[in-house]
């Protein structure tokens, strides 16, 4: 927040007008800043969601595989059984990856004497 304009003991009309204009400009800046924060809030939430997903997924599990499986499910939509299998696979991939990373972190280090 900017500093309020300082006026002399007996300001002239011109000094008063300038102070009023500065105050109006400051109010407009604050309103714009608040509106921009409200407009950018969904974008910020989407960015945080993406960062959270990147932290959860290991680097060896690219999202291309899930996207490719989803595309196959759409293209092969006429075959219900195959579509169900792909959907089940897409649901199980995150669980399997989580279990794999958990097992790696709990495994004792074999190189230690």
């Amino acid at each position: 927040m900017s500093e309020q304009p300082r006026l002399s003991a007996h300001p002239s009309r011109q000094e008063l007008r300038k102070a009023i204009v500065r105050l109006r400009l400051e109010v407009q800046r604050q309103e714009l800043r608040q509106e921009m924060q409200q407009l950018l809030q969904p974008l910020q939430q989407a960015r945080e969601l993406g960062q959270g997903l990147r932290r959860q997924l290991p680097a060896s599990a690219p999202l291309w595989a899930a996207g490719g499986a989803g595309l196959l499910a759409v293209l092969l939509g006429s075959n219900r059984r195959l579509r169900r299998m792909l959907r089940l696979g897409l649901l199980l991939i995150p669980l399997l990856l989580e279990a794999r990373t958990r097992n790696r972190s709990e495994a004792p280090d074999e190189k230690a004497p």
Side-chain angles (χ1 to χ4, degrees):
M1 190 168 175
S2 69
E3 180 179 314
Q4 291 185 357
R6 298 181 190 256
L7 298 173
S8 60
H10 302 288
S12 66
R13 291 179 66 108
Q14 185 178 12
E15 287 177 330
L16 288 173
R17 279 190 294 236
K18 285 182 180 180
I20 289 173
V21 168
R22 286 187 189 112
L23 287 173
R24 283 183 183 164
L25 286 172
E26 182 59 31
V27 168
Q28 287 177 350
R29 279 190 210 105
Q30 290 177 6
E31 288 174 349
L32 284 173
R33 191 176 301 122
Q34 184 178 4
E35 288 177 15
M36 287 301 295
Q37 286 176 347
Q38 289 175 352
L39 288 173
L40 293 176
Q41 185 178 5
L43 180 64
Q44 183 67 27
Q45 289 174 345
R47 184 178 297 147
E48 290 171 1
L49 177 67
Q51 289 172 349
L53 285 175
R54 276 188 232 113
R55 273 186 256 126
Q56 288 178 355
L57 289 176
S60 64
L63 293 176
W64 288 104
L71 182 63
L72 278 175
V74 169
L75 292 176
L76 302 173
S78 60
N79 190 346
R80 285 182 169 214
R81 185 174 179 200
L82 183 59
R83 186 171 56 185
R84 272 191 246 143
M85 294 296 283
L86 284 172
R87 188 180 301 156
L88 180 64
L90 286 173
L91 291 173
L92 290 177
I93 285 174
L95 296 173
L96 294 173
L97 289 174
E98 182 180 339
R100 188 177 77 178
T101 56
R102 193 178 309 131
N103 287 341
R104 284 184 184 172
S105 64
E106 291 175 359
D109 197 13
E110 294 178 9
K111 293 181 181 178

